[in-house]
Amino acid sequence: MIIVLEPDLEHPEAVVQHIEESVSRYPGVTTRPYQFAGDRHHLTEIHIIGSTAQIPTEPFETIPGVLRVVRVTSRYRLIGRHDDHTRTAEFTYNGVTFGDRDVLVFAGLCAVDTREHVDSMMKALAAHGITTTRMGAYKPRTSPYDFQGLGKDCLPWVFELAGKHGIRMIAMEVTNDRHIDEVRQALETAGRPTGVMLQVGTRNAQNFELLKRIGQQREFPVLYKRGMGITLEESLNACEYVAHEGNPDIVFCLRGVKTHLGDPHRNLVDFGQIPVIRRQTRLPVCVDPSHSVGRMVFAPDGLPDIIHTVGQAIIAGATVVLVDFHPHPEKALCDGGQALRPEALPRFLRYIERVRAAYTDVVRDTGPTN
Ligand code: PEP
Ligand code: MN
């Protein structure tokens, strides 16, 4: 059972205490409060865990400050939408708000290689008012002989350059809990010129110890990439682990699934599942067209498959895009064959803006069709 308080209460503690006292009368249940901070509203929820069937909802509904009481039927207690379309999926980190309103584009290098490439990529983003990027420092690679990423050594100058170009958030994969400490330490030493979203890669989609460690901190939000060889349900349960440990600020990213039925793309593009995730959970949905399509090939209309799949994602309601760019794809040390060039950025952004406008129109004009 979840008790949702009215947003922006001045003294939510008093209401929380009142509820906790009332709940303590029932045996075998515990309470756990959660805070959700968006830029428009702060929400508090009290989760009642255990044998809640015995607890009536009415007495709680009448407590001043309580907005509503939700009986949880799905396994996704924390990330679930619970049939409540008004339940917020919004959170703000370092001035960037995730949610349903705007589309955020995290364009950048798959793997950090040189200072010059990072500088010129961030410069291009800044020129188009983009404050979010991707920069891989720790690269999980299929072969031990492939470039493994520059690791913590590149963090000082990546963060410094981000500050220089007004980048507010970098999506950066961590494969080990030590990396979280390294990122935190490097950010501190650099004077916090930017922020980081911790990325869980597809290869770690069920690394429960890593998921728990990431969930045990709330300093950084989380970008969870769907497991390439597991079910959607298993991936959503992995996100529930992160939230259960204490961090509900999660973005769920589709990046394709591994099957030869997806050939000739690198993975079978799974963006048709966007409405499923949005129906079942309140997580903002991200798509990664680069790791799903995996190659720079063009349709007869002249647009790369990567751009077409972004369009398919936006028209289905995705609000975050994680995409590989590189100033010189031929020199990239990882995944250069799927990188767009910064010169393509203005067209790419215009395309997203137009498809998003089409989505907004379609939703407004069509409305529910059931
Ligand atoms: C990445 O985004 O850099 C990456 C390695 O993606 P994935 O985990 O989806 O393969
Ligand atoms: Mn890559």
Side-chain angles (χ1 to χ4, degrees):
M1 197 158 110
I2 299 175
I3 301 177
V4 185
L5 304 197
E6 281 165 12
D8 310 318
L9 282 180
E10 253 181 57
H11 297 292
E13 322 78 49
V15 189
V16 173
Q17 199 186 341
H18 186 159
I19 291 168
E20 281 173 349
E21 278 165 16
S22 312
V23 170
S24 68
R25 281 188 270 129
Y26 297 92
V29 291
T30 51
T31 57
R32 197 162 165 180
Y34 288 89
Q35 310 279 343
F36 302 91
D39 71 339
R40 285 181 296 180
H41 298 299
H42 277 65
L43 273 192
T44 304
E45 290 181 358
I46 297 121
H47 290 234
I48 305 178
I49 301 156
S51 4
T52 53
Q54 50 168 340
I55 307 180
T57 54
E58 300 74 36
F60 294 96
E61 280 158 358
T62 53
I63 294 175
V66 169
L67 183 65
R68 75 173 74 85
V69 181
V70 183
R71 281 218 184 267
V72 178
T73 49
S74 104
R75 282 171 64 73
Y76 313 130
R77 165 181 286 278
L78 288 161
I79 64 167
R81 186 171 287 280
H82 307 307
D83 292 329
D84 179 351
H85 295 281
T86 62
R87 205 153 178 254
T88 184
E90 192 175 271
F91 61 89
T92 301
Y93 168 73
N94 207 27
V96 178
T97 297
F98 293 86
D100 274 342
R101 276 183 304 167
D102 301 308
V103 175
L104 297 168
V105 179
F106 286 73
L109 273 51
C110 176
V112 172
D113 44 27
T114 70
R115 190 183 166 97
E116 290 65 36
H117 291 157
V118 172
D119 192 39
S120 75
M121 185 66 226
M122 289 181 174
K123 190 171 169 201
L125 293 171
H128 295 95
I130 301 290
T131 61
T132 45
T133 188
R134 58 158 296 146
M135 291 286 159
Y138 307 99
K139 297 304 302 178
R141 301 304 301 279
T142 303
S143 162
Y145 306 112
D146 290 339
F147 175 60
Q148 303 287 310
L150 296 177
K152 74 173 184 333
D153 294 347
C154 70
L155 300 181
W157 49 266
V158 170
F159 294 158
E160 175 213 317
L161 290 169
K164 172 179 152 193
H165 294 294
I167 300 290
R168 293 186 159 276
M169 195 178 328
I170 304 173
M172 185 175 275
E173 177 164 359
V174 289
T175 60
N176 184 304
D177 55 9
R178 200 178 61 243
H179 299 157
I180 309 173
D181 298 331
E182 290 173 3
V183 166
R184 183 184 295 113
Q185 187 66 53
L187 270 179
E188 244 159 56
T189 309
R192 304 205 161 271
T194 188
V196 168
M197 172 157 65
L198 300 178
Q199 187 174 319
V200 178
T202 195
R203 291 162 188 80
N204 280 306
Q206 281 189 312
N207 179 343
F208 296 112
E209 293 313 311
L210 179 66
L211 292 165
K212 284 188 209 165
R213 286 303 299 266
I214 286 181
Q216 283 157 9
Q217 59 79 41
R218 270 201 87 165
E219 180 177 357
F220 305 112
V222 182
L223 180 68
Y224 174 89
K225 298 192 80 172
R226 186 238 176 105
M228 61 176 138
I230 58 175
T231 63
L232 182 65
E233 187 181 345
E234 285 162 335
S235 285
L236 293 175
N237 272 309
C239 290
E240 186 73 16
Y241 259 97
V242 176
H244 178 71
E245 291 296 324
N247 192 348
D249 299 338
I250 307 164
V251 177
F252 189 89
C253 181
L254 291 173
R255 47 81 68 208
V257 290
K258 208 166 192 64
T259 156
H260 288 305
L261 296 176
D263 292 348
H265 289 158
R266 181 170 169 181
N267 288 283
L268 181 66
V269 179
D270 51 356
F271 298 174
Q273 295 187 343
I274 291 164
V276 180
I277 301 158
R278 297 186 70 219
R279 180 168 61 250
Q280 294 190 356
T281 81
R282 56 174 159 179
L283 305 181
V285 180
C286 172
V287 290
D288 177 343
S290 311
H291 288 82
S292 46
V293 172
R295 55 194 52 169
M296 196 47 70
V297 286
F298 296 81
D301 54 25
L303 296 187
D305 291 16
I306 285 178
I307 295 205
H308 275 295
T309 51
V310 170
Q312 290 151 21
I314 301 291
I315 205 75
T319 51
V320 185
V321 178
L322 182 78
V323 55
D324 287 5
F325 271 72
H326 197 287
H328 300 284
E330 64 293 347
K331 292 189 191 162
L333 298 177
C334 181
D335 288 347
Q338 65 190 28
L340 292 155
R341 293 175 189 274
E343 298 84 284
L345 196 56
R347 274 188 74 201
F348 184 70
L349 297 173
R350 207 165 49 242
Y351 174 82
I352 290 179
E353 205 176 294
R354 293 175 68 176
V355 181
R356 175 67 182 179
Y359 167 78
T360 313
D361 274 3
V362 163
V363 168
R364 196 182 38 230
D365 293 351
T366 315
T369 51
N370 57 342

